[in-house]
Every structure is written in C-alpha cells, then in structure tokens.
Amino acid sequence: MSGAAGGGHSHRATTKVSHKAFKSRKSTKGQMRDAAKGRIAGEKGQRKTPHQQVMSKLDRRNQAKQRQQEKAREHQREASIFAGKDGSPRNVAVIPLCAGTDAAAAIQSMNGSVDIETDIHDGCLRVPVDRFKQKLQYIPLKRDLTACLDAARVADFIVLVLSAEVEVDDLGELILRSVESQGMSTLFTVVQGLDKIEPVKQRLSVVSSLKSFITHFHPEQEKIYSLDSRQECANLMRSLCSTMPKGIRWRDERSWMLVEDIEWATSGMAPTILTGVVRGKGLSADRLVQVGDWGTFQIEKITAAPLAARKKRGEDAMVDEVTAEETLEEPTENQDGLDDLAPEEATMDDDEDMDAATTVTTSKKGVLLDDHHYFSDDDTVQELHMPKKVPKGTSKYQAAWFLDGGDVSDSGSDLEDHDMEDAEGDEEEARPEDGMEGLAGDAMTEAGPSEYAKSVAFIEPDEEEDAMDLEAYRKSKRSEEEDDLEFPDEVELHPNVLARERLAKYRGLKSLRTSPWQEEEDRAYEPEEWQRLLRIPDYQASRIRAAREALVGGVAPGTRVHVHIKGVPVPIQKSYDPSRPVTLFSFLRHEHKRTAVNVLINLSSDSPVSIKAKEELIVQYGPRRFVIKPLFSQGGNTPNDVHKYCRYLHPGQSAVATFMGPVTWGSVPALFFRRTVPGAEAEGEDEDEDVKRSSLPLVLVATGTTLPPSTSRVIAKRAILTGHPYHIHKKIVTIRYMFFNREDVEWFKALPLWTRRGRSGFFKEPLGTHGYFKATFDGRINPQDSIGVSLYKRVWPRTARPLDGLLLDPALIQDAQGDAMDADVE
C-alpha cells in the first residue's frame, strides 16, 4: 500500500472516455442523411434566379405575403359580382335525372328551409335569400336533353335531383354524361322521396347506393342532401350562397348571359330585346352573339335595365322608382359582319394556273411520286412549281380573311404551339406501308444455294384458270369493319377495271411523314368554297390577340341590360317554349367565319360499335351545334403536315375529326351524338349494337376537344394494292394479282414496293399482258409474305350545317318507351 501511494497515483476527473474520431475521406450514410435534412439530391428549389438566392428571409416572407394578398384580391374581384343589393344572382340549374323527380318540388323544399315562399313557374325564377344576403336565380328543368345542356352551360351551380325509389334510366344517364362532358361548374346532388322508404333502417342503404352511383361520375361528391330534411336543405342553401363557383374556362373567356325576358319584334325592322345580366367578360356591341339555337345575330344597341327599386313613404306606401333607359354601348364602324366566307371575287388562283395544273396531271404517262412524274414520253423529268408560302392573289384577298398577314406555315406549325398531347400520344409507329421509316433494316448477305427453284421462262397463264385462282385467293380474306382492322386501306381491283383510271387521283409518296405534297395537283378537285375559307398562319398569336380584345371595353359584368338584336326570324317566335332556357354568348373576333375545323375525337373502349368516316353526326362545341359528316385522320405533327385518312374510328382509338365550320378559339369540349332508330334491329341484321342496348333515338357516341384549325393540313386517303409472290428466285420475285394488264404496270412502275415483313423493292419489268411483273427486293422474300404499293389522294372535308330543332325530341322518347313497353307485353 505504501508503494502504491508513493508512486504518484491520482484519480481521473471523470469516468467519460472520448474516443478518437475515425478519420474518413467519405461521410457515412447517417452523416449524409443528417446533413441533407430531408432534401433530395438533384431537387431544384424555388429560388432559381441569383436575385432570389440572395434574398433575405424577411424579403422572402414579404414576397409570399404579396402573393397571398394578390390571390385574395383576385378572389374578391370574382366574388364582388354577387355582392351588394345590385349584385348578380347566382344561377342554379335544377336537373331531374329520374322519371319520378320534380324540379319545382325540389326548389320549394330548398326555399322552405330558409322560410321563403314563392310560386314556381316555367322559366327563370329570381329569389332573394335575406338570411345569407344573396340572390339565387333558379332554372327549373324537365328531363329535356337540349334544355339541360343549355342551362348547365350558363349555371354557376348544378343541382342533380335523384329519386329514392326510381333508378336513373337511359335518358337520365345520357343527360348526366352530356352535361359532364360539355364542362360544368360546381355540382351538388340531392335525393327526393327518401321519407317514403320503409323501414327506416333501409334509408341509409339507399343513400349509400345513390352515393356510389354519383361518385362513379363525380368522385368529389362527398354529400348527398335529402330534400325531406329541413336541416340538410338549409345546409345546401348555405353552400349555394357562400361557395364561390369554380366556373368553366371556355365560357369565362367570353361574355355570356342567361336571358330572363324576351320582347319580340313588333315589325320586320324592329329589334328583338333580350334582358339579362352580363357575365364573364365585358359585352361588346361590335361582336356577334349566338342566341340559343336561333343562330348568329348583330347587336343594334345595349341599354341599361336596372331592377325597379321600391322606396317606403310612410308605413304602407310603396312607390316605384322608374329610371330612364340609358344607352350603354352602340356598335362602331368595326362591327363584325355576318358573312362566313370571303367574297367570291377574291379567288386565290387564276384560271390559267388551274388549267396548267390539270394539263400537267393528264399529259404524263406515269403516276406522280413525291414531286416528279417519271417515265414520260420524252424521258425528261419536269418538276412542278413548288407552292409559295403566300397563296397567289393575296393582294385581292381581304385582310380579315387572312389573319396576321404572315407566311403560311407548311410545316405544321399551326399545331405546334397548342396542347395536343392527347393527339400526339396516340400516334402510331411507322409501318411498311407508310414508307421508308417502317421498312426493316438491311438484309444479311445470302450465302449458299437458294432453297427455291431457279427462275424459268414466263408462260402466259390461262384466263379462266387465273380467274379461279384469284377468286380463291380473295376468299380467304374477311370484310368491312374486320377488314379495316386486319387489312387497313387495302383495295381490291376488279380484273376488268383499269387501275390507272380507277386510281387517277392517287399519287405515290416515298414517305408519308416527310415527302412533300404537291398541292397544285389538287386544285381541280378542291371544293368551290375552299379558297374562300379563313386562313390562320399563326394560330397561337391570333388566339391570344382575340382573347385580349375581350378584356377591354364593353358593358361591365354584373350589369343588367337590354340587348337589342336585329334580324330575328318570325318562325323563332312561334316555336319559342318558355320552359326551355335561352342563352346568349358573345363571340370573339372571327369566330363566325368558316374554316377547316379540327376536333380531337375519343371513342371509348366501352363503345360496342365503330364510327365510320363521313357518317352523319351531331357535334356540339361551345354554344353551337352542327350536323356534320366528318373525316377522320391520324393525329400528331408531321414535317410535311400530311395525315393519313382513317375509314373507321374503332373503340378505344382517338383521331382528328375535320369538317368545314366556324372557328372557335381555344380548347373547347366537344360532344358527338348520333341519331338511331330504336327497334330497327328487328327489321335488319346490320343494326349497331348500341341501338339494341339503348331505348333512345339519340346516343352520345364520343367526346373530344377542339384543336387549331388549318387549311394547310392535308388528309391523305391511302389505297394499298397487294400482290402475291408467284415465283421466287433469291431477290427476284414474279408478282401477280396486283395489276391485270400491262399498261397499268407501266403506269405505276415508279412506285416503291414493300412487304408486310418490312422488305423494300422496285419494279424490274412487266411480264405478259395479264399484269404479271418482276420485282427486285433488298432481301429474301417469304412465300407467305404479301407485297404491296401505297397510293395516296387528298380528301376534302364537308361543310357543317346548323342543327335544326332539338337534340332529342321528348315526343320521340315517349314513342320509344311506348314501343318498348308493347314489346315487353308481347
């Protein structure tokens, strides 16, 4: 012990031991995770510019506060239209979906929950809600498709009325799908007759079933209000009066109005006066207006129409204050006209040019391939004149009919600046019939002997035996819709028909996507009004310019006005029905002029039937409805602006529907309807399946969105002539059944050949007089392969005409339901 004490031992100050840190060139995962503090590698922060990166914390807070204040001011501006005693009423469209529901009874229940007593009548009904200091304007509707679509178009809120006892039938589902597809504002759902369900415990299951139905179409519907419950109706009224409607984008870019009252013209020259509250953008007297399905009209003047204010004098005396009618706006010299086509004298080409184009086409001895006619009499290549960037005769063409005065784009730039993601996403991959992009790669060099017999001298076949072989060969193929799916664009020539006459309008293209298209060759076949259509070189700039014009001037939104329109036909007054709402939409500049309209059309994969091109359909986009016979073509952007024509639109596919109609700026939802004949399946076997499944004479077959119009967009109809390999010797093949005389082979021998498996070739020499010929390919040809050539011609869209009458006549529905009941009884 003494030794230990004398050795200088001392106690440590603490028991903690500090280990020496491990010196590593790399951090551990935990250290990197702690240093990152939740940030992800490569993530870009909100501070992108150098100025933002050096901003202090106080400045960033101030900037965020300014953004919040700007959003609050914007929301206040939107809500100010409903504020005050002179504020606009909130439009509420009440749509019954079931046969047993009543819109008038639903409105009575909603008003009764806030102690409002009013008489319900046909037409609009304005009701002040003093409890919430707001005004509601109800639009009671019947189960009428046209009326429901018109009302939903101008409604701030849509109230769908379901029944607790009756299911939604075909008509109710058609109304629901149509209203949803055209674009709707804020939606509420109510149920009628829930107190009639016994026992009481079953009511919860009924509400759950109805909620499951409506959330299938609108998943955001979290609550279904019962009209039999005063508390729930009061909650619904509170939501209607306090919720800011989300609006509809295409509608809010224009000026629109729900017509409350109509004063018909007393004489031929007198105007018709429409009364309502201006909504959306400012209403300009220089722009044309679309009134319901009446048509397009000019405005004579716009006058103020304030509601008469009543002032108390004493206790019971009420005196009306009449305000003199004040003119708010009159048209100027820049008022739009009603002409939808350019003047006839402003033609784009001279007659000499037309004759020259026709002569060039008919004087050649071979088919046109890209921009050359090969194998003419003097064996010289004569090039056609390339189309200029500005159409000929532009100096005579009115400035209003050639927008911007810029260069005409021939590269598809009309569509490049627009949202076409859906159309581009459906673009198919290149196939052998499309040209050089779809062909297979170079074949490997063949080594060793051929497995096929060597080429022998050609022996002219017997005509009867050859005809029997042709019939047996074609019997193995199927026809029309199935043919279009399996053998698209394939054409079978009759042996007695000359191919050069049957396909005189067709030409060849080395590549469908990149080969130039000579428009001079099509001058003789284009429609008479084609050169008089509106041309839009720069769509995006023109659209922005038209939208900005609507932001300036006009009668301010929220103003109650009398709109004096001129030229309303007398038959419209006789056919007017007060139970159907009348709407007024102001057009943007140029929206009444006709051009080549393109609409992206989507056919649901659930559709039981395909749509044939040029089939008569009813289209609705914006405030207008037309009867059209559209052309279908593939979407996407191509360097030469050439798009393949589609004979059918099959379920699950998308295409671009083209027709000649008025311009609509921006992306606007489009609805496609088709008229059907219920019960016709008993008379014929080729009726469509949707006719058998639906009891209605009208079917919503497809939906879509408007795309930029373009007169330079070429829709090329393809015809594929196929042949059968008769003799094969290495890369030299004798082909039959493509042509049936030697002259046709000589005419089309400039065209490139292709096979289904991606091989390419060219004509070598004709054989005999029956259309046989030799061809050389870039690789071995399989005997089971099919050989073809692709020919193209430009097809022209057809003119749309305004829809006359209702979309779905209620009398036709009753007849169809009566026939269905009679069939069930039998």
Side-chain angles (χ1 to χ4, degrees):
M1 293 294 291
S2 59
H9 174 76
S10 64
H11 293 281
R12 295 179 181 174
T14 178
T15 58
K16 294 181 180 179
V17 178
S18 58
H19 296 285
K20 189 176 181 180
F22 177 70
K23 295 181 179 179
S24 173
R25 296 176 59 189
K26 298 181 179 178
S27 301
T28 63
K29 292 182 179 179
Q31 289 173 336
M32 289 190 295
R33 184 167 57 247
D34 294 339
K37 296 186 183 299
R39 292 189 296 268
I40 301 174
E43 183 183 22
K44 294 182 179 179
Q46 294 183 354
R47 290 177 284 171
K48 300 176 182 179
T49 64
H51 172 68
Q52 291 175 328
Q53 291 175 2
V54 298
M55 286 174 62
S56 65
K57 187 175 182 179
L58 181 62
D59 291 338
R60 294 197 301 272
R61 281 184 175 178
N62 185 39
Q63 193 178 63
K65 184 178 180 180
Q66 290 176 349
R67 283 196 295 264
Q68 292 175 354
Q69 291 175 346
E70 179 60 30
K71 287 184 179 180
R73 283 194 294 267
E74 184 179 354
H75 181 270
Q76 188 175 3
R77 282 196 301 268
E78 293 175 352
S80 63
I81 194 173
F82 302 122
K85 63 178 183 178
D86 296 328
S88 303
R90 297 167 178 254
N91 298 332
V92 181
V94 184
I95 301 178
L97 294 183
C98 303
T101 52
D102 184 10
I107 295 174
Q108 289 281 18
S109 300
M110 294 162 59
N111 288 342
S113 65
V114 289
D115 302 325
I116 297 176
E117 295 183 1
T118 54
D119 294 331
I120 310 299
H121 55 80
D122 290 339
C124 301
L125 175 66
R126 184 189 288 249
V127 175
V129 185
D130 296 333
R131 179 182 298 184
F132 303 112
K133 298 181 181 180
Q134 290 291 323
K135 292 181 287 294
L136 298 181
Q137 186 159 343
Y138 294 106
I139 312 174
L141 299 166
K142 299 177 182 178
R143 285 167 30 99
D144 184 348
L145 177 61
T146 305
C148 291
L149 285 174
D150 291 343
R153 197 183 293 158
V154 294
D156 297 308
F157 301 95
I158 297 176
V159 177
L160 299 178
V161 184
L162 300 176
S163 174
E165 300 175 324
V166 183
E167 294 183 354
V168 179
D169 56 2
D170 290 342
L171 177 58
E173 188 171 340
L174 175 62
I175 293 174
L176 179 58
R177 290 184 181 274
S178 301
V179 169
E180 175 191 16
S181 299
Q182 81 165 357
M184 62 166 59
S185 189
T186 308
L187 177 69
F188 295 98
T189 308
V190 300
V191 56
Q192 200 171 48
L194 191 60
D195 285 353
K196 299 178 182 179
I197 301 298
E198 296 293 343
V200 179
K201 293 181 179 180
Q202 195 175 352
R203 296 176 185 175
L204 290 177
S205 63
V206 171
V207 173
S208 177
S209 175
L210 294 176
K211 186 176 179 181
S212 175
F213 169 79
I214 197 64
T215 52
H216 174 72
F217 298 95
H218 299 280
E220 76 280 359
Q221 292 295 293
E222 299 177 353
K223 173 71 174 175
I224 294 184
Y225 299 88
S226 174
L227 293 176
D228 299 323
S229 171
R230 181 181 178 90
Q231 181 62 40
E232 292 192 12
C233 287
N235 292 339
L236 175 60
M237 293 293 288
R238 181 185 299 273
S239 298
L240 292 175
C241 294
S242 60
T243 304
M244 187 63 195
K246 63 181 182 181
I248 305 173
R249 180 178 176 182
W250 70 265
R251 179 187 73 181
D252 295 337
E253 291 178 350
R254 297 160 175 81
S255 179
W256 53 277
M257 184 177 77
L258 173 62
V259 177
E260 303 173 10
D261 188 28
I262 301 176
E263 182 180 338
W264 298 99
T266 55
S267 63
M269 300 298 294
T272 298
I273 303 175
L274 307 180
T275 305
V277 178
V278 177
R279 299 289 302 277
K281 297 295 186 290
L283 179 59
S284 173
D286 287 339
R287 303 283 82 84
L288 300 179
V289 292
Q290 173 78 19
V291 182
D293 289 332
W294 300 1
T296 305
F297 304 97
Q298 288 180 315
I299 296 178
E300 185 174 288
K301 63 179 179 178
I302 303 174
T303 58
L307 291 173
R310 296 187 296 179
K311 185 177 181 182
K312 287 187 177 181
R313 290 181 180 177
E315 295 182 358
D316 300 327
M318 305 290 285
V319 178
D320 293 338
E321 237 180 57
V322 180
T323 307
E325 191 173 270
E326 177 188 0
T327 301
L328 299 178
E329 184 160 335
E330 291 183 344
T332 64
E333 58 183 9
N334 295 325
Q335 185 180 25
D336 293 336
L338 293 173
D339 295 334
D340 59 346
L341 289 173
E344 292 187 16
E345 60 269 14
T347 55
M348 307 301 293
D349 291 288
D350 299 332
D351 294 337
E352 297 178 359
D353 296 334
M354 184 75 73
D355 296 339
T358 308
T359 305
V360 169
T361 304
T362 56
S363 62
K364 296 297 177 179
K365 299 301 180 183
V367 68
L368 177 66
L369 179 61
D370 287 357
D371 52 353
H372 296 291
H373 279 279
Y374 294 93
F375 310 113
S376 58
D377 288 340
D378 53 359
D379 292 332
T380 59
V381 176
Q382 299 183 10
E383 296 187 7
L384 295 175
H385 296 289
M386 294 293 291
K388 297 181 179 179
K389 291 187 176 181
V390 178
K392 300 176 182 177
T394 304
S395 59
K396 300 179 182 179
Y397 201 73
Q398 292 184 354
W401 295 92
F402 192 82
L403 299 190
D404 302 330
D407 295 337
V408 177
S409 171
D410 57 357
S411 62
S413 61
D414 293 345
L415 309 181
E416 288 173 2
D417 296 332
H418 196 77
D419 184 11
M420 287 193 61
E421 295 179 0
D422 294 336
E424 293 174 358
D426 295 332
E427 188 174 356
E428 298 179 357
E429 294 183 359
R431 303 176 64 179
E433 53 265 35
D434 295 334
M436 59 186 68
E437 294 92 349
L439 298 175
D442 294 336
M444 295 179 63
T445 304
E446 296 183 10
S450 171
E451 59 180 303
Y452 303 104
K454 292 185 177 181
S455 180
V456 295
F458 178 73
I459 302 175
E460 193 76 23
D462 181 65
E463 292 187 6
E464 295 183 0
E465 183 180 351
D466 194 44
M468 292 174 61
D469 291 344
L470 174 63
E471 185 177 357
Y473 173 70
R474 288 182 173 176
K475 259 187 181 179
S476 60
K477 297 183 179 180
R478 295 179 258 177
S479 57
E480 200 114 40
E481 284 186 32
E482 295 179 353
D483 262 359
D484 187 69
L485 276 172
E486 188 170 356
F487 309 105
D489 309 317
E490 191 167 324
V491 176
E492 293 182 348
L493 296 174
H494 193 275
N496 297 328
V497 174
L498 299 179
R500 60 187 181 278
E501 295 181 2
R502 165 73 172 77
L503 305 173
K505 299 180 182 179
Y506 287 79
R507 69 187 72 182
L509 292 177
K510 294 178 181 178
S511 171
L512 178 62
R513 290 170 171 79
T514 59
S515 293
W517 186 276
Q518 291 295 323
E519 296 187 5
E520 297 293 336
E521 290 280 333
D522 304 318
R523 297 296 188 198
Y525 309 116
E526 65 186 16
E528 295 180 0
E529 64 268 29
W530 187 257
Q531 296 297 336
R532 300 172 59 195
L533 297 179
L534 179 70
R535 303 197 174 193
I536 309 173
D538 190 346
Y539 173 82
Q540 195 70 2
S542 302
R543 182 189 66 82
I544 294 173
R545 188 179 298 111
R548 285 177 178 172
E549 286 182 357
L551 299 174
V552 182
V555 179
T559 309
R560 193 170 187 269
V561 296
H562 294 307
V563 181
H564 301 247
I565 60 174
K566 48 189 177 182
V568 178
V570 177
I572 292 179
Q573 181 178 356
K574 298 179 180 178
S575 61
Y576 170 68
D577 186 356
S579 64
R580 295 190 177 96
V582 178
T583 62
L584 181 146
F585 276 83
S586 177
F587 289 148
L588 301 178
R589 187 182 289 272
H590 307 297
E591 279 196 323
H592 65 288
K593 298 177 180 178
R594 207 186 308 172
T595 186
V597 178
N598 298 315
V599 182
L600 178 65
I601 178 172
N602 304 307
L603 184 60
S604 172
S605 57
D606 298 334
S607 176
V609 67
S610 303
I611 304 177
K612 190 175 183 180
K614 302 179 185 177
E615 180 180 354
E616 185 171 281
L617 300 174
I618 299 173
V619 64
Q620 171 188 307
Y621 60 96
R624 295 178 285 201
R625 301 185 182 100
F626 297 98
V627 179
I628 61 171
K629 294 183 178 179
L631 302 179
F632 298 143
S633 59
Q634 292 179 350
N637 296 331
T638 58
N640 56 0
D641 207 7
V642 177
H643 306 266
K644 191 184 83 66
Y645 168 80
C646 303
R647 290 177 170 84
Y648 283 88
L649 181 62
H650 298 288
Q653 292 183 351
S654 298
V656 177
T658 305
F659 55 91
M660 287 191 285
V663 180
T664 296
W665 298 116
S667 298
V668 179
L671 282 70
F672 293 87
F673 298 93
R674 179 169 59 183
R675 297 197 185 279
T676 58
V677 183
E681 66 273 9
E683 302 175 3
E685 297 180 358
D686 4 58
E687 293 295 329
D688 297 332
E689 293 183 22
D690 58 348
V691 178
K692 301 176 185 178
R693 297 185 181 185
S694 176
S695 60
L696 300 175
L698 188 78
V699 178
L700 177 65
V701 291
T703 59
T705 308
T706 57
L707 298 175
S710 175
T711 54
S712 61
R713 190 177 192 272
V714 177
I715 303 177
K717 184 177 182 179
R718 179 160 63 194
I720 295 177
L721 300 179
T722 57
H724 177 254
Y726 185 46
H727 288 305
I728 301 176
H729 178 63
K730 295 185 179 180
K731 298 182 181 180
I732 299 177
V733 183
T734 301
I735 302 171
R736 62 176 179 175
Y737 300 155
M738 184 179 290
F739 304 105
F740 300 98
N741 59 76
R742 188 183 185 93
E743 291 76 13
D744 286 344
V745 178
E746 294 285 353
W747 181 269
F748 292 102
K749 67 182 180 181
L751 298 177
L753 297 170
W754 50 265
T755 72
R756 298 285 185 193
R757 305 193 181 191
R759 301 266 62 89
S760 63
F762 57 89
F763 286 75
K764 192 169 190 266
E765 59 178 345
L767 301 173
T769 60
H770 287 189
Y772 288 59
F773 62 92
K774 280 186 178 182
T776 303
F777 289 86
D778 62 348
R780 179 74 62 82
I781 299 298
N782 191 295
Q784 303 300 322
D785 208 347
S786 181
I787 300 166
V789 293
S790 298
L791 292 161
Y792 301 90
K793 76 168 181 178
R794 185 173 185 178
V795 289
W796 306 91
R798 303 187 179 187
T799 302
R801 57 182 175 86
L803 176 65
D804 186 15
L806 302 175
L807 274 172
L808 190 57
D809 194 346
L812 296 178
I813 300 175
Q814 296 176 0
D815 295 342
Q817 291 175 347
D819 295 341
M821 292 178 62
D822 295 341
D824 293 339
V825 171
E826 294 177 359

